[in-house]
Amino acid sequence: MTMIMTRLLRCLRSRQLLTIVSQETIKPSSPTPPHLKTLNLSLPDQMAPNKPCLRCAHMMMAPNSMMRFIFFYKNDTNVGDINILKKSLSKTLASYYPFAGRFLAPSAPKIDCNDQGTEFLEVSNDSRLSDFIFKKDLNESILDQLIPTYAVGDSPNLVEVRLNHFKCGAAALGLSIPHKLGDGFTMAKFFNHWATVARGGCPKNPTFWLSASKHSIKVPEYDFKVDRVRYARRTFEFPNSKLNELKNKLVNVSLVNPTRVEILSSLIFKSAVDAATTLSGSPQPANMHHVVNMREKIIEKNRPEIATGNVCTIADIAVKADYGEMNFTEVIAKLRTRIMEIKEIRDVEELGEILLNKFSTVGDDQSRTYTFSSLCRFPFYQVDFGWGKPVRVIAQSGVSDGSVVQLADTPSGDGIEATVQLKEEEMAIFEKEILAYSQDMI
């Protein structure tokens, strides 16, 4: 309770009145079988770091290894019996049994699936739904009002849940989950599993991918001396109509049907590098690291939709300082080529080896790295607990430093929402670069 009170006092200082309605530890509805009591993490799962490192912001995982999600629902009166939400979570934890377990240590290569459960906190908040869903510059201090905030080691719980009731009659469901438990796709499936159970359905149970070697990987730790700079974070909407315009402008006929994510990632990367070049007065070397979901390639037929864990890797491209004027078509061609190359991988452990090799070179390459991840087409807007679908979903990686881009579907599904974090002085230039294709979040 002390930790919870500390968080709530922080919100009180920000002039938001929060009142605890209830607090409970939710445990699995049935005990985990003895042969499943220990989950040896796969190599990609082990590669999720536990402490902040500015230079590892370009890696697959967020530096504090936490993923945070907020689901906003318009009509609080539909929430109804909270016990349904708690009981369905309990049943879901019986299927996602590692989520109710504990790390024996922050860097442990395994999870003790001991059924200790997750924290469920219900809070009354004097804010309104409009205070959150229509703002383009939501900083972490604002979102901290709605979501459990902790780093690995600060709380024994792997999963923490907070249900917020707004005074306007709306609700927000906030969750914090370690990246070691899985990637964005895993989280989307977990939330939908829970929601389906709450509606009385019977979803497919997940498959957890075990470490083939069953031994821990020693991930190097680095203490980098990095100049502190101020970063700005903005959210932009890119309508499908504008993305189709971009697609039609591609001059390289060998680019057969590039995806929306490939097109937009290439545009943002080019524009961000151009902004840095304009500010410095000379071309700047840069790397793009793009997280790629590998389920369709390495998981057996008919099983990718239930594969749980970090089943992804990084597609990377480099731009040298002597590149001259960067061509958008060349950027997307390089990205597509690299994605096609890594999609030849057929083994989860090989994904981890690629990440380990990249991590081992951190500090050797002084080029600026721009990290991209995409939640597009992941079913976050299908998470319906019987209250209707969410009107807005916000996902946070927790990265407060570095050049980071996160893509997600717009609530209407007719475009892509891009949350872009760049150096503060570069953001104004960047906004002009992308103006023709985007619109600010209102």
Side-chain angles (χ1 to χ4, degrees):
M1 179 65 78
T2 301
M3 185 182 298
I4 294 173
M5 290 306 299
T6 300
R7 298 177 198 155
L8 295 184
L9 284 172
R10 189 184 303 129
C11 293
L12 285 172
R13 294 189 191 104
S14 66
R15 299 181 182 179
Q16 299 297 329
L17 178 61
L18 304 180
T19 303
I20 296 177
V21 178
S22 66
Q23 180 194 2
E24 186 177 345
T25 298
I26 307 297
K27 296 187 176 184
S29 59
S30 59
T32 299
H35 69 285
L36 297 178
K37 282 292 187 180
T38 299
L39 178 72
N40 293 292
L41 297 173
S42 70
L43 184 50
D45 295 334
Q46 293 182 50
M47 286 299 298
N50 292 298
K51 347 180 179 176
C53 168
L54 296 181
R55 284 302 301 275
C56 28
H58 70 278
M59 297 303 294
M60 180 178 70
M61 314 303 180
N64 66 357
S65 77
M66 300 304 303
M67 292 187 292
R68 310 197 304 166
F69 297 87
I70 308 175
F71 297 82
F72 293 92
Y73 295 90
K74 196 170 185 179
N75 193 344
D76 190 42
T77 59
N78 290 337
V79 174
D81 188 356
I82 301 302
N83 286 327
I84 294 176
L85 191 63
K86 293 178 179 179
K87 288 179 180 178
S88 58
L89 176 57
S90 177
K91 291 180 180 178
T92 299
L93 291 175
S95 298
Y96 284 80
Y97 55 92
F99 287 39
R102 298 290 184 267
F103 287 123
L104 298 178
S107 59
K110 59 184 67 177
I111 296 176
D112 181 10
C113 304
N114 55 16
D115 300 332
Q116 290 299 300
T118 68
E119 180 186 277
F120 189 105
L121 183 67
E122 186 181 3
V123 173
S124 174
N125 189 315
D126 75 339
S127 301
R128 296 179 179 274
L129 182 66
S130 58
D131 294 337
F132 301 95
I133 67 171
F134 298 123
K135 295 184 181 296
K136 68 172 183 177
D137 301 330
L138 285 171
N139 58 45
E140 290 188 13
S141 62
I142 294 175
L143 294 177
D144 281 351
Q145 303 171 32
L146 306 178
I147 200 164
T149 55
Y150 69 97
V152 170
D154 291 345
S155 169
N157 303 299
L158 296 190
V159 179
E160 295 202 351
V161 180
R162 181 186 295 178
L163 177 63
N164 304 270
H165 301 278
F166 296 133
K167 66 179 180 181
C168 63
L173 186 67
L175 303 96
S176 289
I177 302 180
H179 216 319
K180 281 184 180 290
L181 288 179
D183 51 21
F185 185 89
T186 294
M187 300 310 150
K189 300 307 290 186
F190 169 72
F191 299 141
N192 275 280
H193 188 112
W194 179 12
T196 300
V197 174
R199 299 195 312 269
C202 298
K204 292 182 180 179
N205 285 330
T207 297
F208 292 92
W209 295 93
L210 307 178
S211 169
S213 60
K214 295 189 178 181
H215 60 74
S216 62
I217 302 299
K218 179 61 177 177
V219 178
E221 294 185 8
Y222 299 92
D223 182 20
F224 290 100
K225 303 297 181 182
V226 182
D227 292 333
R228 287 288 181 178
V229 297
R230 294 177 64 88
Y231 285 89
R233 184 182 299 167
R234 300 284 187 274
T235 299
F236 307 91
E237 282 191 5
F238 294 84
N240 285 339
S241 59
K242 294 294 185 180
L243 295 177
N244 288 333
E245 283 182 24
L246 269 173
K247 185 175 181 177
N248 294 333
K249 288 184 178 180
L250 293 173
V251 297
N252 190 337
V253 294
S254 66
L255 291 174
V256 180
N257 198 28
T259 68
R260 297 182 309 155
V261 169
E262 291 169 343
I263 292 171
L264 183 53
S265 297
S266 300
L267 173 68
I268 292 175
F269 178 64
K270 177 188 182 304
S271 301
V273 174
D274 286 349
T277 296
T278 299
L279 198 65
S280 66
S282 60
Q284 299 295 301
N287 299 316
M288 174 198 277
H289 284 187
H290 206 303
V291 180
V292 180
N293 180 15
M294 297 293 290
R295 283 170 173 77
E296 296 293 338
K297 296 296 181 180
I298 67 176
I299 308 300
E300 298 115 55
K301 188 177 181 181
N302 297 327
R303 296 183 68 187
E305 76 280 2
I306 59 172
T308 302
N310 288 286
V311 192
C312 52
T313 191
I314 292 173
D316 57 327
I317 64 173
V319 175
K320 304 300 182 184
D322 58 354
Y323 62 81
E325 184 176 355
M326 190 185 301
N327 183 286
F328 169 67
T329 305
E330 292 176 0
V331 174
I332 192 171
K334 284 185 176 182
L335 178 58
R336 291 214 87 200
T337 299
R338 187 67 184 118
I339 289 176
M340 291 302 104
E341 290 173 352
I342 66 172
K343 285 201 171 182
E344 294 303 314
I345 298 171
R346 291 293 185 270
D347 181 79
V348 173
E349 293 301 301
E350 189 178 350
L351 298 180
E353 290 170 5
I354 292 174
L355 292 171
L356 186 60
N357 290 336
K358 291 186 183 301
F359 195 90
S360 66
T361 62
V362 172
D364 296 341
D365 185 356
Q366 298 304 312
S367 300
R368 178 92 162 268
T369 298
Y370 298 80
T371 306
F372 289 75
S373 61
S374 172
L375 301 177
C376 292
R377 302 197 185 283
F378 292 177
F380 287 101
Y381 280 98
Q382 302 302 314
V383 179
D384 179 2
F385 293 94
W387 319 333
K389 295 177 181 179
V391 294
R392 179 89 189 275
V393 179
I394 295 177
Q396 278 195 317
S397 65
V399 180
S400 58
D401 297 282
S403 303
V404 182
V405 179
Q406 181 171 279
L407 308 180
D409 293 317
T410 57
S412 62
D414 62 354
I416 295 179
E417 182 178 301
T419 300
V420 181
Q421 180 173 284
L422 296 173
K423 291 180 179 179
E424 200 170 66
E425 62 271 22
E426 295 172 359
M427 184 60 78
I429 303 173
F430 171 80
E431 289 176 322
K432 292 179 182 178
E433 290 272 345
I434 64 167
L435 186 61
Y437 301 102
S438 71
Q439 59 190 38
D440 275 349
M441 293 288 291
I442 299 174

